[in-house]
Every structure is written in C-alpha cells, then in structure tokens.
Amino acid sequence: MPATPSWPPKSAPRLFVAEPLSEGLVVDIGGNQAHYLARVMRVSAGDTVILCDNQTGEWTAEVSDVAKRYLTLTVTNQLRPREEVPDFWLCAALLKKDCFDLVLEKATELGVARIQPVLMRRCVADKLNLERASTIVTEAAEQCARTALPKLEEPVKLEALLRHWPEDRLLFFADEDGGRPANAAFAASAGPAALLVGPEGGFDDAERAMLRNHPAVSPISLGPRILRGETAAIAATALWMGIKGDWPDEK
Ligand code: SAM
C-alpha cells in the first residue's frame, strides 16, 4: 500500500464527503464540516483540502469560496485510489458508551473492514446511536488517513449473528476461559476472518456452549490477564493486523 504522498502537507484538513469525486467537480460543504474547515482549521480561498468519498479514493480540492454557512471547493487531483482493506470484521459486544466509542475509533484506525456491534446477555448497554457512531468512525478515518470507511452495522443479537454466519469466514472467539493462544491461531489461519469479543460481564454458559459448538468458531486466549472488553477488542485486532493484515506490507 502506498505511503501518504508528501503533497499536500499532512496538516491539510481531510474530509469524507458523500458524492463520488472526480477532477473539476465543484463540492459545497455545509454543516459541521463547514464549521470545522472555516472556524477550526481557518481555511480560506486558495487553500488545499483533502477529500475522500469512500468510493474512488482521495483527492485534493481547492477552496474557491468561504461563505457564512458553507464552503465551495473544486476537486483538482487524485492522490490515491480507495485502499484495499484487510478482510477482517470486528464483532464486539456493545459496551458502555465511552468504552464502545473507543472501540469504534481504534478499530477504524487499525483498518478493519466491518464493525458489527453484538448484543449479549451480559451487555450493560442495549442501544447504539448509529449516526453518532458513524461520525466517530468517519472522524477516525479522516484523522488516520484511511481512504476507505469500515462498514458499520446495526447491533444484532449473538444468536442471530451465529445463525447467519457465512460459511467461509473464521470467527475467532476471545474467550476469557481460555483457548488457543491468539498469535498461534492467527498465524495458522487463512482467508476471511472475524473476532468476537464479549461484554463487561463476559459470556454466559449458554453463549459459550453455542459458540464452542459452531463450526466457524475458533476459541482464542489473549493471555493470562482478564482484559476489559475494549482492551481485548483493540489488542486482538492489532495482533491480527500485525500477523495477517496489512502491517507486514512493504511501503
Ligand atoms: N467478567 C469476565 C470475567 O471476569 O471472567 C470478564 C469479561 S472481559 C471484561 C470482556 C471480554 O474481553 C471477554 O468476554 C473476552 O471476550 C475478552 N477477554 C478479556 N480477557 C481475555 C483473555 N485473557 N483471553 C481471551 N479473551 C479475553
């Protein structure tokens, strides 16, 4: 995967927009994004902004007008095509708000393809504000220079997740009661993968039995300590990226 180019400067603001980008396209930016560009980043006419559309990739755009509530930009050059994303899903138990916010942000930075919130019997939280979650994911992608957004799904119950699980995807189940060491399990695996991490109270006996009987599930251990759910999700995702993801790619 190519490194971020040296021009424009890394400090140029980056934003995801909804419409597909192309050279010469004129884009109006309003709402919070306009506030961010005009008031926080203090961009003015002639400045360069980096735009991504989650479809074609990353582009430079020149600010042509700064009005009170919106900015107008003209797309100039393509910097990078949309990146290839490692085929790794994070299926994380819905945690209390701040903890799950952290999971959303770090999973995005680490490069997962899909984030699937999962409802389990011992979850403390039972609802996710999808719009707010999507903003966290988008801002994390802007900050870390991703050109692709992870797909963020609505929460599903564990039973439903397993019932519809795709045959060809391995599901690593982070089990605090023990399993194969995660580094060995990841290294020995091939193909599409996913990680399941439990909630604050862990998995109950029925959930653990259902998981251990599922043909796609591979129980893993994340070491001798009991990690918080958010730590387990972030640490195991980082470990998978280091062994099977895009960390080993030459820049
Ligand atoms: N209440 C549980 C207990 O005391 O046994 C702990 C649950 S832990 C806070 C949340 C989740 O993180 C677990 O369900 C599991 O998915 C994951 N986890 C934490 N430590 C782990 C470890 N050492 N090995 C595998 N998974 C772990």
Side-chain angles (χ1 to χ4, degrees):
M1 197 173 295
T4 307
S6 56
W7 176 260
K10 283 195 177 136
S11 57
R14 298 180 86 257
L15 286 181
F16 274 86
V17 293
E19 62 260 65
L21 298 169
S22 58
E23 199 177 320
L25 185 78
V26 175
V27 182
D28 285 333
I29 306 267
N32 290 341
Q33 289 186 319
H35 175 83
Y36 167 71
L37 288 180
R39 306 268 167 260
V40 181
M41 300 306 287
R42 299 191 170 278
V43 304
S44 47
D47 284 352
T48 299
V49 170
I50 300 174
L51 297 181
C52 294
D53 58 3
N54 195 32
Q55 299 173 56
T56 63
E58 182 182 65
W59 299 74
T60 51
E62 190 181 305
V63 178
S64 40
D65 186 31
V66 182
K68 198 161 181 206
R69 295 187 191 283
Y70 68 90
L71 290 87
T72 305
L73 292 86
T74 305
V75 177
T76 45
N77 294 305
Q78 185 165 26
L79 294 171
R80 292 186 289 168
R82 186 182 188 272
E83 71 207 47
E84 289 290 320
V85 179
D87 196 356
F88 183 80
W89 299 355
L90 175 61
C91 303
L94 194 60
L95 303 172
K96 280 184 271 182
K97 194 164 136 226
D98 291 353
C99 302
F100 202 71
D101 288 355
L102 190 69
V103 171
L104 293 168
E105 182 181 283
K106 299 310 167 201
T108 304
E109 285 179 51
L110 288 166
V112 306
R114 186 168 181 234
I115 301 172
Q116 174 62 72
V118 187
L119 297 167
M120 301 181 205
R121 292 194 189 90
R122 292 181 178 162
C123 279
V124 178
D126 61 357
K127 279 186 199 66
L128 178 68
N129 179 335
L130 213 58
E131 197 181 321
R132 188 175 163 279
S134 168
T135 302
I136 292 171
V137 163
T138 304
E139 289 180 355
E142 288 165 352
Q143 183 272 328
C144 73
R146 272 188 80 154
T147 55
L149 295 172
K151 194 160 184 327
L152 176 62
E153 305 288 353
E154 298 254 14
V156 290
K157 290 191 172 168
L158 179 61
E159 289 76 2
L161 180 79
L162 294 181
R163 206 177 311 125
H164 302 294
W165 193 257
E167 253 175 35
D168 63 340
R169 183 173 297 271
L170 197 55
L171 177 58
F172 294 111
F173 154 44
D175 189 355
E176 63 270 28
D177 276 6
R180 192 173 182 197
N183 48 336
F186 292 168
S189 69
L195 168 74
L196 178 69
V197 175
E200 292 86 348
F203 297 92
D204 75 9
D205 290 345
E207 289 171 337
R208 185 169 279 109
M210 184 169 54
L211 281 159
R212 287 189 171 257
N213 285 326
H214 193 286
V217 168
S218 169
I220 54 166
S221 161
L222 303 175
R225 288 166 289 280
I226 301 289
L227 309 175
R228 292 174 63 135
E230 63 274 27
T231 314
I234 296 164
T237 301
L239 185 65
W240 189 89
M241 286 293 165
I243 295 174
K244 289 281 160 183
D246 54 10
W247 290 12
D249 291 354
E250 296 279 342
K251 274 196 170 181

